[in-house]
Amino acid sequence: MCNSLQSSLDERSGSLSSTCQFDVAVLIVGFRNPEDIRNCFIALARTEHYPAFDVFICENGGREAYDELVEALICLPCLYAECDPADAGHIAPFTDVRRLRFKRRASNVWIGCAKDNLGYAGGVNAWLKPLKSVSGWKGIWILNPDTEPRPNALAALVERAEKGGKAMVGSTILEAGSEGLIRFRGGLHWQTFAARGTAIGLHDKLGDPFDLRAIEEALDALSGASTYATRQCVERIGFMEDSYFLFFEDLDWGARAKELGLGYASDSIVAHRGGTTTGSSGTLAGLSQLSVYLEHRNAIHFVRKHRPWTLPIRVVLSLLHALRFLMHGAPRNSVATLEGLFAGLRGERGQPAWHR
């Protein structure tokens, strides 16, 4: 097998070796969206050379999607195949793993084919769990597949974590299709009496003045589009909660890390399209029923765990959302809201049975 994490994947044991040659593990979860990941890699190829990183991808969309992703990435001018497909190994919970390599930097790309659709948090954990037994790396960078980070995005995250003593750090996330309009400064603030999260810095413009201390005090979770977490943080709070399957796993992880310190790296700029994995567009009617269902189901899961006394507020908010969908000509999403709400109240976890 190829050699990177000392001997990389040990073919006989199917596990990662005990040491590594990178500072940061970049974790990406894909679901039948090879073009998104391809564009993300074109951006990653321009990343500054410090800190050193390897990329770990979990493809949740099955064998066909995995093969398409490998083919799409091999065709990139910034990557090449490090080993023959016959040498590919596997590591639980993957059925197959391929290794590629960046041409102009000492960074490897590990692509795993998940045995099943593990969801977003499950896809992150699929690589994070074996990485915990590997020494040498100091942090992980979770990136959505439909992001395009600027060259200094990772360096800025690591700098803020180290100089600011922060356990988790978020980026400046730009609105889809706009190079100057901000979607998140770091992440979200949870409005307790409204039982919902609100984006910090929404509709600010790049270059606008901001109060770093106020932003970091307001942060309750980082945007899942770009989250840097130190190794010490992961060891303290544990893995992402994969029972959410999709949505709210970032809020839950942030809530668990808040006492360790949440930070914002303004110079870490990441463009994010959003909605490509779930098939959502920017309108109420264009939101996928799966995303609507899970947003409202998992909101119940989150408030029960972290702010149980606000559960009645959250129920009312979901009912109002269902009415809003109905009034805006999106009856299917109105139904999805109610179904998600009741599934949450019943305690449903993981991938919805109807989605399998």
Side-chain angles (χ1 to χ4, degrees):
M1 190 63 190
C2 322
N3 57 0
S4 169
L5 305 173
Q6 213 165 29
S7 293
S8 310
L9 289 171
D10 185 321
E11 291 181 279
R12 291 169 295 178
S13 65
S15 62
L16 292 168
S17 68
S18 59
T19 60
C20 71
Q21 298 173 0
F22 57 85
D23 298 313
V24 177
V26 181
L27 307 182
I28 298 173
V29 180
F31 184 79
R32 303 172 185 171
N33 52 343
E35 279 303 308
D36 288 334
I37 297 177
R38 188 178 187 276
N39 292 334
C40 183
F41 266 78
I42 292 172
L44 283 173
R46 298 191 289 265
T47 300
E48 294 178 354
H49 281 267
Y50 177 83
F53 66 84
D54 271 12
V55 184
F56 299 83
I57 305 173
C58 172
E59 173 53 63
N60 271 333
R63 181 71 200 202
E64 183 177 347
Y66 169 74
D67 290 338
E68 289 180 0
L69 177 58
V70 171
E71 182 178 355
L73 295 184
I74 285 177
C75 292
L76 282 176
C78 59
L79 294 177
Y80 64 89
E82 178 70 11
C83 53
D84 188 89
D87 295 330
H90 69 276
I91 180 172
F94 301 119
T95 60
D96 197 9
V97 173
R98 278 294 304 274
R99 178 190 175 207
L100 308 180
R101 191 174 178 87
F102 282 87
K103 286 187 175 179
R104 297 182 179 179
R105 60 183 308 131
S107 292
N108 300 289
V109 179
W110 305 92
I111 312 171
C113 180
K115 295 178 180 178
D116 192 10
N117 186 351
L118 305 175
Y120 192 73
V124 169
N125 291 340
W127 278 117
L128 187 53
K129 287 179 180 179
L131 281 167
K132 274 200 73 177
S133 64
V134 177
S135 64
W137 58 271
K138 62 183 179 182
I140 62 168
W141 185 21
I142 300 173
L143 271 180
N144 270 16
D146 51 359
T147 57
E148 295 180 25
R150 293 193 180 175
N152 69 328
L154 176 56
L157 290 169
V158 174
E159 181 181 14
R160 184 62 192 148
E162 293 180 349
K163 291 187 176 180
K166 303 298 182 182
M168 277 188 188
V169 183
S171 302
T172 299
I173 309 297
L174 300 183
E175 287 276 16
S178 174
E179 286 300 307
L181 198 60
I182 293 174
R183 179 73 178 87
F184 293 102
R185 287 195 185 275
L188 301 108
H189 172 67
W190 184 261
Q191 292 182 314
T192 300
F193 293 101
R196 65 176 184 177
T198 58
I200 297 174
L202 181 63
H203 301 323
D204 283 358
K205 294 180 180 179
L206 278 179
D208 284 352
F210 64 92
D211 186 334
L212 178 61
R213 178 177 293 182
I215 289 172
E216 292 186 335
E217 287 179 354
L219 274 172
D220 290 311
L222 304 179
S223 168
S226 172
T227 297
Y228 177 78
T230 65
R231 183 176 193 130
Q232 292 82 0
C233 176
V234 174
E235 290 173 346
R236 285 279 301 275
I237 70 172
F239 304 113
M240 274 190 163
E241 178 54 67
D242 57 15
S243 66
Y244 288 98
F245 186 69
L246 187 65
F247 300 118
F248 273 84
E249 65 281 298
D250 50 353
L251 275 159
D252 177 84
W253 222 34
R256 288 152 55 195
K258 186 172 175 65
E259 66 177 16
L260 303 179
L262 301 182
Y264 167 50
S266 61
D267 290 336
S268 175
I269 299 173
V270 177
H272 180 220
R273 290 175 60 196
T276 62
T277 302
T278 60
S280 295
S281 67
T283 65
L284 287 176
L287 293 173
S288 74
Q289 293 177 56
L290 175 65
S291 64
V292 172
Y293 179 93
L294 290 176
E295 279 278 3
H296 292 273
R297 186 199 73 174
N298 291 345
I300 297 297
H301 186 10
F302 177 82
V303 298
R304 270 182 168 161
K305 181 177 179 180
H306 295 284
R307 295 169 176 82
W309 64 272
T310 67
L311 181 60
I313 301 173
R314 183 62 227 187
V315 170
V316 170
L317 186 61
S318 289
L319 293 174
L320 291 174
H321 272 278
L323 180 61
R324 182 172 177 239
F325 278 123
L326 196 60
M327 293 177 65
H328 285 80
R332 290 183 178 180
N333 282 341
S334 179
V335 172
T337 299
L338 295 174
E339 290 178 341
L341 168 62
F342 295 132
L345 293 172
R346 291 194 307 269
E348 179 187 273
R349 301 284 193 274
Q351 184 178 10
W354 57 267
H355 184 253
R356 297 192 183 96

